[in-house]
Amino acid sequence: MTAQWIDSWSPVEGRERAEKVYRDCFNAEPAGVGSAPGRANLIGEHTDYNDGLVFPFALLHRTFIALTAREDTIIRLVSAQEDAVWEVDLDEVAPGAHTGWGAYVAGVAWALREQGYAVRGFDAAVTSCVPYGAGLSSSAALEASAAVALDEVFGLGLAGTVDEPNDEGRKVLVQACIRAENEIAGANTGGMDQSASLRAQAGHLLLLDCQTQDVQQVPFALSDVGLALLIIDTRAPHQLVDGQYAQRRATCEAAAVALGVPSLRAIADAGRSADEIAAQLTAPGALPSDQNPEVAVRRVRHVLGDIERVRRVVTLLDEGRTEEVGPLLTEAHVSLRDDYEVSCPELDVAVDAANAAGALGGRMIGGGFGGSAIALVRLDEAQKVADAVAAAFADKGFTAPGFMVAEAGAPAF
Ligand code: ADP
Ligand code: MG
């Protein structure tokens, strides 16, 4: 079974594609083109909304948006990946009022205006090679591309230039994108994706502290040490996702209250023993009656474990012990599968088949219940491992997966 590879577009190709979509729809040339990457996360999953640590990087796969400002407040949007033109008056954008993909873009304009920036209406055309709903954050790529394009055409001065990105300004754009997704698109997000898309740097992992929003750029050049990171898009249909994500967040929040801390991050930093935490969570009346204490103990164990694993991976990379990252990925997968219970058969088969074929380790990434997995492999074995995963999917009768060899790409610009 031969693996199918998901190609990325060059920046020039993506720009030209977006300009063409714009021209075909609006019969004019766009004033500017913005683009932003999807992301993968090496380690630290479901830790962002617990004020924890995450360790993502930007993909080469990007979303492109061609955009022209209007004098009025009308927003007209078209996407090569969607059928209908999406139209709204910016003055009428409000939480809970919208459905559909355009809400991600209109929401960014709304959030920037809420923050006091002079944004009006605009016409925009979108196209992307980031796969949808694959856990690679096409939604954040869409928001971030809109954010930098709006920054450019309305002269907000927040993004900086390609060579000299303005990280403080980008933090403002990140917040606008998060508000767009949470409040206008109505999708839950913890904030990792938007930071990765706007604040990552080419050739680097982004160590993001979700408590302070502080970042550290960590060099990520696997091919220099004969390794590669394989991304496996399982193409599994997302099921049950919305309710499950909200439940996990609610359990973490209830556990933090029971433990007397603002977020689970504080417990991770306090270095308390697992037994002590379990005893406190399972004490009568510690948790609200809709939370199962035994389940909460496992959920907390995952979050604390993954924050610790991020720290261990940072140390391993720093010491040049890159191969040893592999087993930590698999450890994280087991934790997500058994303690956090957000995996699914396709993700488990992807990780197990990759490891059986010689990967150094692997795990599901993103929210779970579908989406993508990563596997750390020897560079010259990437094809072999991908073929083995494709064969395992065929054996199980699953939809054929898609593959990428990850490279840490540039942020939104
Ligand atoms: P993920 O972020 O993992 O890809 P999400 O469900 O969070 O999955 O976001 C996918 C949604 O984002 C799509 O259903 C669509 O509404 C919107 N979206 C992403 N990319 C595009 C695009 N190129 N054109 C139009 N809508 C897009
Ligand atoms: Mg998303």
Side-chain angles (χ1 to χ4, degrees), residues 230 232 349-361 375-378 380-392 403:
L230 197 61
I232 307 157
V349 166
V351 170
D352 292 347
N355 283 339
L360 301 168
L376 185 66
V377 299
R378 296 191 196 288
D380 55 3
E381 290 186 353
Q383 181 75 47
K384 182 187 93 176
V385 173
D387 290 346
V389 172
F403 297 87

Side-chain angles (χ1 to χ4, degrees), residues 39 104 133-141 143 181 187-189 193-194:
R39 63 98 192 91
Y104 292 90
L136 301 173
S137 212
S138 68
S139 58
E143 293 147 14
E181 183 146 349
N188 248 320
T189 171
D193 305 348
Q194 293 77 8

Side-chain angles (χ1 to χ4, degrees), residues 63 79 81-82 100-101 104 126-128 131-140 142 181:
T63 295
S79 167
Q81 282 73 48
E82 295 282 342
W101 71 273
Y104 292 90
V126 173
T127 190
S128 180
Y132 261 45
L136 301 173
S137 212
S138 68
S139 58
L142 178 58
E181 183 146 349

Side-chain angles (χ1 to χ4, degrees), residues 233-244:
D233 172 7
T234 65
R235 295 183 173 145
H238 278 254
Q239 281 161 350
L240 302 166
V241 184
D242 294 346
Q244 293 287 337

Side-chain angles (χ1 to χ4, degrees), residues 187-275:
N188 248 320
T189 171
M192 164 176 62
D193 305 348
Q194 293 77 8
S195 291
S197 192
L198 281 152
R199 300 179 69 196
Q201 285 178 12
H204 291 78
L205 288 153
L206 184 80
L207 177 60
L208 169 68
D209 184 327
C210 299
Q211 189 164 39
T212 59
Q213 303 306 315
D214 287 346
V215 298
Q216 210 179 307
Q217 304 287 345
V218 178
F220 189 49
L222 291 177
S223 57
D224 290 357
V225 290
L227 298 176
L229 195 71
L230 197 61
I231 298 178
I232 307 157
D233 172 7
T234 65
R235 295 183 173 145
H238 278 254
Q239 281 161 350
L240 302 166
V241 184
D242 294 346
Q244 293 287 337
Y245 186 86
Q247 274 181 30
R248 294 299 180 283
R249 283 186 82 140
T251 299
C252 290
E253 278 158 29
V257 170
L259 294 165
V261 288
S263 69
L264 293 180
R265 169 61 178 278
I267 297 292
D269 289 348
R272 294 179 49 195
S273 82
D275 286 349

Side-chain angles (χ1 to χ4, degrees), residues 1 44 55 86 111 150 174 188 272 279 295 309 319 382 385:
M1 181 58 62
F55 209 16
W86 202 94
L150 292 171
V174 167
N188 248 320
R272 294 179 49 195
V295 171
R309 278 184 285 272
E319 293 174 354
V385 173

